[in-house]
Amino acid sequence: MWLVFLCLSTGSEFAGHIEPIWQRQEKSLLQHYEWFHSHPELSHHEEQTSKYFSNLVEKLGLKVVRSIGGTGFVAILSGKKSPSGPVVLYRADMDALPVQENTGLKY
């Protein structure tokens, strides 16, 4: 989701491609964002978060390898033209910080 915001806010050349996708998926992406922020889990205890997001990307058709380093997972999207070609790695943290939020938001 942050990549979408970055591309749209910076006027990236990809914004023209991402904006229509964002508009179609906005409600769904915001629901995932709110779920993520309403279920905070500390580092090495992200059982619900890992299950939620690994199931989500698996439903999108990616191969998922679970229990990486405990609660982590890897999602693999293979290309059809060159399965042994270039590889892109995207890494994201799923853990929450032990802070008290004072935003008044439900998530």
Side-chain angles (χ1 to χ4, degrees):
M1 185 187 309
W2 296 116
L3 177 62
V4 171
F5 286 129
L6 178 64
C7 289
L8 293 177
S9 65
T10 61
S12 164
E13 64 183 89
F14 300 108
H17 300 286
I18 291 176
E19 194 164 5
I21 297 169
W22 168 255
Q23 290 170 347
R24 286 193 311 270
Q25 300 295 325
E26 181 177 11
K27 185 177 179 181
S28 174
L29 290 171
L30 289 174
Q31 286 173 340
H32 297 308
Y33 175 86
E34 288 181 12
W35 184 94
F36 182 64
H37 286 275
S38 64
H39 296 84
E41 296 178 299
L42 297 178
S43 184
H44 303 290
H45 299 280
E46 309 97 328
E47 289 87 7
Q48 288 182 29
T49 306
S50 183
K51 183 177 179 181
Y52 182 92
F53 283 104
S54 64
N55 287 341
L56 177 66
V57 296
E58 194 169 50
K59 287 178 187 174
L60 294 173
L62 281 71
K63 178 183 174 188
V64 174
V65 180
R66 293 175 172 81
S67 300
I68 303 295
T71 58
F73 69 91
V74 173
I76 302 168
L77 174 62
S78 299
K80 292 183 181 181
K81 286 188 175 183
S82 179
S84 62
V87 175
V88 175
L89 171 72
Y90 176 78
R91 181 190 177 279
D93 290 335
M94 305 186 286
D95 61 328
L97 298 174
V99 297
Q100 181 64 40
E101 295 286 350
N102 295 315
T103 63
L105 298 172
K106 64 181 180 178
Y107 57 89

